[in-house]
């Protein structure tokens, strides 16, 4: 015989629920008496209090093992990535020359991004360093803090500095500047004491054709060794990241161009299959002209 | 065998009338039973072959009584009617079974998850052709998981079904048939209507046959009608009902003796037994308790999963997450919440136990029945063969005015009574000589008690008894050459034989006689006491009667023995004895002694019954046997305990009428089938509720069903044993039907959930123990498996609520559920019982659930939460040591997951590309995975016990647990270090020290649980006990 489910009328179900919520005979609310509820609440208060304390304690102990200025492990950051400015949603720079609104936000972002590079600010905060060699500031047993940073003046970006530039970094004329920057990695001696530079190419052959000419600032897309090593946000307070600006002069309009820029440095591999941004950056460029 | 009639049993003297009634009752009940199914009755009435003359029969079935069918006719008919076999009960088709596994349990949830994944990908793809395939992978993995577990469960089920199938395969039955005027032996399944078959004693009737001629043919219809007495069969038409008439013998019954020739009138499913068998399959199966429990559990978990999923779906949507993301969150929550591997684990656990039980002679047909046996609260057991040894054995002897007890244990070796008396010498000689039973030749190496014997039950008993005590009985018989013999018959009620003396110089003859004691006594004028013949005076006769009554009262079959040395002068050596003329004295003999026999209880049964009693299981004996015998056996095995009395006992002791006895005083009751028939439902319920020790005697198998239903009305989980075809409805109806492997019919085995290979009651008790253990261990397994669900779920909730990078991936979760956790959870099945599980009450079907609130709460909100915290510590450690401190991680999720952000800043000002972050995220997954795994080891260890301290239980007694732990660690090592480079799996090589970060939390879990158990032990029944004991 198949088990016959006891058929309950709707009223009975409601009745049962009512009794479950408040049982007047046993004075039980949701199956427990007042004292039982008090016990259980007290128990969980204590128990969870204890667990929270325990968790906090272990987290505190764990954080004690982590230094303030250098992360314990940097194995994941062996190859710094490259990135472009202006930062866009899908790494595509689309400029409608005639439509101010389409590039105005890029300009705003760039203005803000380049503000710390203003010569006045740089001169005020940072040192003039000797180019061509690392600017090392070892602790030598005593905490050398804060560490000094080298100047990277906005004027070094030449036509892309945007200073007194009526073309708005070239966006209004269809000759946009894109800024390449290399990710900061603490204690990373980029270039292994040899000079390094950024180069850009069209990704495929037709891209290369469509890309046309471009100029780079500083010249040849050089990045100087003096900006390395980086000592971390906390110690290297006014660190100014070196930039390379690329001004695209005659991109074929109304075509999407895939551009890839990479850093040529002795100790930066740029051929990682999985990490498409290791030592390189790919972005799309499209200039719409009517 | 011809001597076997009921009259020889002394106990029948006062019960013979009763028996007649019962037979009628059995017949009537059969009719009632059939009336429930009018169509069946209709078919029954169509059978009129018994009324036809032989000529008409020949015409009807187009055959010839002398020459039989021709082979061509037979082939045609075989093709038309099909083989002469019972169609096995309709099996669910394999495809349906397979699909049931595919959608059962959690599978449906996972299917939904998989489909949602694919839909999500479809939406992504329609928006962006380059959408990542992650969701497709996840969906496929989920589908694979379902298919894999489904196939696994299906395989397990098929395997257990196969065991049973192989078991039910019998040696094909042969039938002797006349075809083309020749006698041929053909397999019984090739018989067709119209075939002329011959049967002889010992054969199974191969089809429904109408007898054409018969010589002293008797059949055992017990498997069909429950009548335990042999029924004589002849070719005369004696009753309108085909069931009652003498000229029809039914398929699957046994011909006990004689020979007969008959015409096949029905084959296969059209036989009467075929109709009953299909009737039995109409009684649906109850869902087994464990199936209900698992359903209950699946409902709880699925409910939790879906409600948390939906809740968070609503939260995420209102937090302005994209609907697509919310759907993916929903899937992950479901995956985290569903213990994917659990159902497979339960199946494995059950089949492991089933295997273990098979070793102990319980063959489990239906895996879930393993646990059902554990929750059994009433066992309705047969007597013959189950509680008893199913062979007559000499139990008592009376000679020299004294009752001696014989050893009735299985090997019989320990005979302690006084064998020095001269009376014993004479008695033993009578026992050995006045006996027609013989050992079948060629069994020299077989122990005496196991040797096969030709002869009826009592003669066999006497033969073996004398063989054990005297040695080679055949030799004794040879030395005392038999010159004349009168076999037993029901008018004489005695058996007599005359022998030469073994001493050649002694020319006398010895006349030996045995039979119904009072008839023997009538023929005696002297009695032998201490080897001396004395006059049989009134006082000796009185002593005889006392002894006779006493032995009869024990439910034993009593025989009297006497002898006479025939004087040599009257009976010279050449004297020719004529048994028809009776030219020798048959009175004024010398009475030697009485001997009583019983089918003794198996020696393991009393212990088993005691165990049942302490385990709170009521044992009810249901037998077709006589109440006195039933009661005697019940008393000797403890079903009626030594100090409890029935109403009748009390009446006798106080010497008052039965009606005057206060029924409440009696604990035991012996109820006959006749009484049971007059009871209505309430009276039966009252009987079952008020008496703790009940024996049903003289019951028909149909009444078993009534008894089972009565027990089930009391919410009891009922186990029923049975062997006949007619038991099958009761076996089906019972929560667990137990068929006898040796004595059981195929129909009974088909209907049963379990088969006792040795027909031994004690095996049931072993089964109960295993069943209880498995319930406890399943609880542990489930608690173990549920715990980590929280540790898998919490990271996800935190991810949604606090915007941390995802701590653990969906695929990683699957690797825990189906990888590291599987072997340990099976290992818990090997855990020994914590205390004597046979000392507690059976669990209440509706109240003691497998998964109860304390279990869920303790697993989820206590241990689960602690595990989650431990996993988080590891997660935060990994991130912090790589540069992302906990405070940075807060609300980092959106930027973290953006593919276009390749310069995400960490706590130290370093910048990360998307892939670098992804790799770190996978390291986080691996870390969480390892954290949960390490804590699951501790969880596994604490789950070994629910109440006892681990130190009481012993850490190393269950070796399999350590195999489980090793497997956990090995799998994790392989995943991290071996497959760390396979991108799709999202595992990375974890730094060695991270494997140890969660250990303090693991220790904390263990300490906490020890404290919990300590308080439970210290304060039983307290608030703590109620809330913390699962």
């Amino acid at each position: 015989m198949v088990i016959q489910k006891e058929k309950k009328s709707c009223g009975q179900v409601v009745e049962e629920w009512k009794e479950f919520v408040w049982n007047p005979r046993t004075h039980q609310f949701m199956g427990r008496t007042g004292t039982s509820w008090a016990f259980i609440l007290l128990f969980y208060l204590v128990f969870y209090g204890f667990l929270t304390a325990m968790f906090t304690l272990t987290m505190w102990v764990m954080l004690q093992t982590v230094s303030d200025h250098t992360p314990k492990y940097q194995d994941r950051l062996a190859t710094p990535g490259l990135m472009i400015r202006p930062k866009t949603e899908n790494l595509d720079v689309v400029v409608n020359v005639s439509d101010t609104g389409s590039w105005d936000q890029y300009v705003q972002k760039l203005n803000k991004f380049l503000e710390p590079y203003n010569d006045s600010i740089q001169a005020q905060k940072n040192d003039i360093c000797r180019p061509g060699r690392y600017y090392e500031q070892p602790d030598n047993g005593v905490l050398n803090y804060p560490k000094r940073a080298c100047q990277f003046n906005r004027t070094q970006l030449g036509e892309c500095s945007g200073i007194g530039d009526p073309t708005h970094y070239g966006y209004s004329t269809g000759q946009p500047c894109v800024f390449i920057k290399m990710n900061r990695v603490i204690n990373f001696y980029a270039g292994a004491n040899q000079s390094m530079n950024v180069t850009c190419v069209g990704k495929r052959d037709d891209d290369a054709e469509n890309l046309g000419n471009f100029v780079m600032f500083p010249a040849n897309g050089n990045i100087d060794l003096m900006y390395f090593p980086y000592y971390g946000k906390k110690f290297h307070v006014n660190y100014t990241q070196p930039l390379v600006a690329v001004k695209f002069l005659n991109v074929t309009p109304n075509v999407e161009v895939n551009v890839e820029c990479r850093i040529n440095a002795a100790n930066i591999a740029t051929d990682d299959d999985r990490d498409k941004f290791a030592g390189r950056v790919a972005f799309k460029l499209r200039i719409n002209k009517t | 065998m011809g001597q076997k009639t009921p009259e020889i049993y002394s106990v029948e003297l006062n019960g013979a009338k009763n028996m007649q009634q019962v037979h009628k009752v059995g017949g009537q009940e059969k009719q009632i039973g059939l009336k429930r199914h009018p169509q069946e009755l209709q078919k029954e009435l169509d059978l009129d072959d018994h009324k036809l003359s032989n000529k008409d029969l020949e015409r009807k079935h187009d055959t010839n009584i002398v020459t039989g069918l021709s082979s061509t006719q037979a082939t045609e008919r075989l093709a038309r009617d099909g083989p002469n076999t019972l169609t096995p009960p309709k099996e669910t088709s394999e495809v349906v079974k397979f699909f049931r596994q595919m959608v059962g349990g959690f599978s449906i949830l996972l299917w939904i998850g998989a489909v949602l994944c694919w839909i999500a990908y479809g939406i992504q793809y329609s928006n962006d052709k380059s959408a990542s395939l992650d969701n497709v992978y996840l969906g496929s993995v989920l589908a694979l998981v379902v298919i894999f577990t489904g196939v696994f469960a299906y395989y397990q089920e098929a395997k257990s079904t196969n065991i049973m199938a192989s078991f039910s395969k019998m040696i094909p039955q042969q039938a002797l048939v006349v075809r083309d005027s020749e006698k041929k032996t053909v397999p019984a399944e090739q018989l067709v209507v119209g075939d002329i078959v011959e049967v002889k004693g010992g054969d199974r009737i191969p089809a429904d046959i109408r007898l054409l001629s018969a010589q002293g043919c008797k059949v055992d219809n017990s498997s069909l009608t429950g009548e335990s007495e042999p029924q004589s069969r002849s070719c005369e038409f004696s009753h309108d009902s085909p069931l009652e008439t003498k000229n029809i013998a039914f398929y699957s019954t046994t011909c006990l003796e004689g020979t007969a020739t008959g015409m096949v009138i029905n084959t296969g499913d059209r036989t009467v037994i075929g109709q009953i068998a299909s009737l039995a399959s109409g009684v649906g199966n109850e869902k087994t308790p464990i199936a209900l429990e698992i359903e209950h559990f699946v409902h709880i978990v699925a409910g939790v999963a879906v409600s948390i999923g939906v809740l968070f779906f609503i939260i995420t949507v209102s937090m302005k997450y994209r609907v697509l993301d919310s759907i993916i969150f929903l899937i992950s929550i479901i995956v985290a919440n569903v213990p994917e591997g659990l159902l497979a684990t339960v199946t494995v656990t059950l089949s492991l136990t089933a295997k273990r039980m098979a070793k102990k002679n319980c063959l489990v047909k239906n895996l879930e029945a393993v646990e059902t046996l554990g929750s059994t609260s009433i066992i309705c057991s047969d007597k013959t063969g189950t509680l008893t040894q199913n062979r007559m054995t000499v139990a008592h002897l009376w000679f020299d005015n004294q009752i001696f007890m014989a050893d009735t244990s299985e090997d019989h070796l320990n005979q302690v009574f006084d064998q020095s008396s001269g009376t014993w010498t004479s008695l033993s000689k009578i026992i050995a000589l006045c006996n027609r039973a013989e050992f079948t030749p060629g069994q020299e190496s077989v122990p005496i008690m196991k040797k096969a014997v030709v002869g009826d039950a009592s003669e066999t008993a006497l033969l073996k008894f004398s063989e054990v005590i005297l040695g080679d009985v055949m030799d004794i018989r040879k030395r005392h050459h038999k010159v004349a013999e009168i076999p037993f018959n029901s008018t004489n009620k005695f058996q007599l034989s005359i022998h030469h003396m073994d001493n050649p110089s002694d020319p006398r003859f010895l006349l030996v006689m045995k039979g119904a004691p009072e008839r023997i006594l009538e023929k005696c004028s002297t009695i032998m006491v201490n080897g001396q013949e004395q006059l049989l005076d009134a006082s000796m006769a009185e002593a005889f009667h006392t002894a006779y009554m006493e032995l009869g009262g024990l439910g034993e079959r009593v025989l009297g023995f006497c002898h006479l040395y025939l004087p040599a002068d009257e009976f010279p050596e050449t004297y020719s004895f004529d048994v028809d003329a009776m030219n020798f004295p048959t009175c004024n003999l010398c009475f030697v002694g009485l001997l009583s026999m019983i089918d003794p209880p198996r020696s393991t049964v009393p212990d088993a019954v005691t165990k049942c009693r302490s385990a709170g299981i009521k044992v009810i004996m249901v037998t077709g046997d006589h109440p006195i015998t039933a009661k005697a056996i019940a008393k000797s095995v403890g079903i009626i305990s030594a100090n409890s009395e029935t109403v009748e006992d009390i009446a006798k002791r106080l010497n008052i009428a039965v009606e005057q006895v206060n029924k409440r005083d009696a604990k035991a009751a012996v109820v006959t089938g006749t009484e049971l028939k007059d009871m209505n439902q309430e009276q039966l319920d009252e009987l079952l509720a008020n008496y703790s020790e009940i024996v049903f005697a003289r019951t028909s198998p149909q009444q078993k069903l009534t008894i089972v239903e009565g027990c089930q009305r009391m919410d009891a989980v009922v186990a029923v044993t049975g062997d006949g075809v007619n038991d099958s409805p009761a076996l089906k109806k019972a929560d667990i039907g137990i068929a006898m492997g040796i004595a059981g019919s195929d129909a009974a085995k088909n209907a049963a959930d379990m088969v006792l290979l040795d027909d031994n009651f004690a095996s049931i008790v072993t089964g109960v123990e295993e069943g209880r253990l498995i319930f406890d261990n399943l609880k542990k397994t489930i608690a173990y498996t549920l715990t980590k669900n929280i540790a898998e779920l919490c990271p996800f909730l935190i991810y949604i609520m606090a915007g941390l990078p995802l701590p653990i991936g969906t695929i990683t979760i699957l690797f825990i559920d189906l990888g590291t956790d599987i072997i340990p959870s099976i290992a818990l099945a090997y855990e020994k019982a914590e205390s004597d599980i046979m000392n507690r009450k059976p669990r209440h079907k509706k109240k003691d659930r497998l998964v109860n609130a304390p279990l869920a709460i303790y697993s989820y909100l206590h241990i689960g939460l602690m595990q989650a915290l431990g996993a988080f510590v590891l997660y935060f450690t990994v991130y912090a040591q790589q540069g992302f401190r906990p405070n940075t991680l807060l609300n980092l999720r959106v930027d973290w997951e953006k593919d276009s952000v390749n310069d995400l800043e960490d706590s130290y000002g370093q910048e990360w590309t998307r892939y670098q972050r992804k790799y770190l995220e996978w390291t986080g997954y691996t870390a969480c995975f390892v954290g949960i795994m390490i804590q699951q080891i501790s969880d596994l260890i604490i789950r070994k016990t629910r109440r006892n301290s681990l130190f009481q239980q012993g850490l190393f007694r269950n070796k399999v647990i350590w195999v489980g732990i090793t497997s956990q660690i090995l799998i994790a090592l392989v995943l991290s270090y071996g497959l760390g480079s396979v991108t799709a799996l999202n595992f990375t090589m974890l730094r060695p020290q991270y494997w140890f970060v969660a250990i303090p939390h693991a220790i904390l879990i263990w300490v906490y649980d020890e404290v919990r158990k300590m308080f439970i032990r210290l304060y039983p029944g307290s608030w703590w006990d109620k809330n913390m004991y699962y």
Side-chain angles (χ1 to χ4, degrees), chain A residues 5-46:
Chain A
K5 285 230 170 108
E6 293 156 45
K7 289 258 161 67
K8 290 178 196 158
S9 71
C10 199
Q12 267 175 312
V13 174
V14 171
E15 239 357 90
E16 270 175 23
W17 268 99
K18 261 190 196 163
E19 194 167 290
F20 174 69
V21 173
W22 174 246
N23 187 335
R25 277 179 294 109
T26 52
H27 291 274
Q28 281 177 330
F29 171 69
M30 308 279 270
R32 286 181 183 277
T33 57
T35 4
S36 184
W37 273 113
F39 263 128
I40 208 97
L41 289 178
L42 182 70
F43 171 79
Y44 278 104
L45 201 69
V46 173

Side-chain angles (χ1 to χ4, degrees), chain A residues 1 3 32 43-44 48 66-68 71 73-74 79 83 85 89 181 183-184 233 241 274-275, chain B residues 284 286 857 861-862 881-882 885 900 902-903 905 908-911 913 915-916 919 993 1027-1028:
Chain A
M1 195 178 73
I3 279 202
R32 286 181 183 277
F43 171 79
Y44 278 104
Y48 285 169
V66 177
S67 112
D68 269 350
Y73 301 114
Q74 291 181 285
T79 314
M83 191 52 182
R85 287 291 182 273
E89 198 54 45
K181 68 186 207 28
N183 282 353
R184 292 187 295 262
K233 188 158 78 172
Q241 213 169 355
R274 292 190 185 147
D275 192 352
Chain B
E286 292 257 13
I857 290 174
L861 298 184
H862 295 209
Q881 298 199 333
Q882 290 280 1
R885 288 158 161 272
S900 61
N902 280 293
D903 54 349
E905 200 180 307
Y908 296 92
Q910 306 185 94
E911 290 167 315
T913 66
Y915 180 78
Q916 287 163 346
Y919 194 88
Q993 67 266 34
N1027 284 284
M1028 296 299 210

Side-chain angles (χ1 to χ4, degrees), chain B residues 110-111 113-114 117 137-147 331 335 340 810 814:
Chain B
L110 295 181
W111 276 125
C117 276
Y137 292 148
L138 183 58
S140 312
V141 168
L142 289 181
L144 274 179
V145 164
V146 181
I147 293 170
I331 297 163
V335 170
E340 287 84 7
T810 314
L814 288 174

